[in-house]
Amino acid sequence: MFLLYVILPIFQSILISFYEWDGLTVAKYIGLANYRELWQDDAFYTSLKNNLIWLILYMLAIPAGLTIALFLNQTVFGIRLYKSLFFFPFVISQVVVGLVFAWFYDPSNGILAVIYQAFGGKPPAILADERYVTYGIIAAGLWPQIAYCMILYLTGLNNVAPEQIEAARLDGAKGFRMLWHVILPQLRPATFIAIVVTVIGALRSFDLISIMTQGGPYGSSRVLAYYMYETALSEYGYRMGYGAAIAVVLFLIMMVYISFFLWRMYQQEK
């Protein structure tokens, strides 16, 4: 199943990237022409830049998820309610998240507009401004991603060896020293999974952009995954070969990051 639905399509995409093809007629072999066109495509560089911004800012989900997990790993009154509230963003659809934040950013009647007006300010049109639109979408994506990282760390905290905690307390470790030297080393597997999933989520971001802006305004919020869809499958293109070339570039970027983290994990385990 993995060979049929994952490995084979990867090699098929690489093969298609060397062709000019609309998905219906006979494919025409053009060699590296699609990649040469990418090299001169301003929309591709805009998408690549936005993907890098996504990648950098999405990493905030990991320390934020850890902080919330440490807070929720307490035995205090109402902790189950708190866990449910923080867990809630993870179980709702990305489409719903996109719609909620689109309403939140609405400069006419959105909650953000109400807050600005309460302080006498003029609300910004975040999703219509090229300077802010990418950051506004990333903020929407961070909401469920933080919840996912929180779940990973909560699971990891349940597996922390209590005897190591007690031994560290006897040695006088507490607070940040306890966290850094005793708890975080035991959370390394959870951290590895959180980093890999967050990197993949940042690089393949599509849903929120499609729902909130459709790549606008003027293509300023495009990322590689959305540009690939727009080029190959939307009403603007049906350029399967060019879309496949974008997909190959995105795949190679993912492989570089994932290979680096796998190598670091292997070195630490060794």
Side-chain angles (χ1 to χ4, degrees):
M1 293 285 283
F2 186 76
L3 178 68
L4 184 63
Y5 289 106
V6 179
I7 303 299
L8 184 61
I10 288 173
F11 285 101
Q12 284 181 321
S13 295
I14 295 171
L15 182 64
I16 291 170
S17 70
F18 298 115
Y19 286 83
E20 182 180 339
W21 186 42
D22 61 5
L24 296 172
T25 59
V26 177
K28 177 185 176 183
Y29 180 78
I30 56 173
L32 297 173
N34 286 322
Y35 294 97
R36 285 195 291 269
E37 185 177 345
L38 273 182
W39 188 256
Q40 301 173 345
D41 189 348
D42 290 337
F44 170 74
Y45 286 109
T46 299
S47 305
L48 184 61
K49 182 193 75 172
N50 286 337
N51 260 124
L52 292 176
I53 295 171
W54 270 82
L55 188 60
I56 293 167
L57 295 183
Y58 232 49
M59 286 298 173
L60 294 173
I62 296 168
L66 174 61
T67 303
I68 296 171
L70 291 170
F71 165 69
L72 295 178
N73 195 44
Q74 312 283 330
T75 308
V76 295
F77 178 75
I79 198 66
R80 289 186 177 180
L81 175 62
Y82 301 146
K83 284 183 179 180
S84 299
L85 291 173
F86 281 110
F87 181 73
F88 173 71
F90 177 66
V91 299
I92 59 178
S93 166
Q94 288 277 69
V95 175
V96 175
V97 172
L99 288 173
V100 166
F101 272 83
W103 296 333
F104 176 80
Y105 292 141
D106 185 349
S108 302
N109 303 305
I111 297 175
L112 189 63
V114 172
I115 295 171
Y116 266 85
Q117 290 164 3
F119 289 96
K122 182 180 178 181
I126 290 177
L127 298 183
D129 194 318
E130 296 180 38
R131 297 169 296 172
Y132 308 128
V133 61
T134 296
Y135 301 100
I137 300 171
I138 291 172
L142 278 172
W143 189 41
Q145 190 64 29
I146 288 172
Y148 183 71
C149 292
M150 176 205 75
I151 295 164
L152 290 174
Y153 279 119
L154 273 176
T155 306
L157 287 168
N158 290 332
N159 296 321
V160 169
E163 58 271 13
Q164 290 193 26
I165 302 292
E166 291 301 322
R169 282 177 179 160
L170 290 173
D171 287 338
K174 59 182 178 180
F176 182 77
R177 290 182 64 194
M178 172 77 78
L179 174 66
W180 186 258
H181 294 290
V182 181
I183 296 176
L184 283 182
Q186 297 185 69
L187 292 177
R188 193 171 292 153
T191 301
F192 172 72
I193 295 171
I195 290 173
V196 169
V197 171
T198 302
V199 167
I200 292 173
L203 291 175
R204 67 178 185 85
S205 49
F206 173 88
D207 319 45
L208 293 175
I209 294 153
S210 178
I211 292 299
M212 297 175 73
T213 64
Q214 294 183 337
Y218 311 113
S220 59
S221 64
R222 283 192 189 108
V223 292
L224 290 175
Y226 188 81
Y227 188 41
M228 174 191 67
Y229 157 78
E230 196 174 48
T231 304
L233 300 170
S234 75
E235 65 272 19
Y236 299 106
Y238 295 109
R239 296 187 62 193
M240 299 294 176
Y242 196 63
I246 299 170
V248 169
V249 171
L250 181 58
F251 174 73
L252 291 176
I253 294 171
M254 283 189 185
M255 287 300 296
V256 168
Y257 275 93
I258 302 307
S259 299
F260 171 75
F261 289 123
L262 283 171
W263 178 79
R264 285 293 303 272
M265 192 73 176
Y266 170 73
Q267 292 296 323
Q268 290 169 357
E269 289 294 326
K270 192 169 68 170

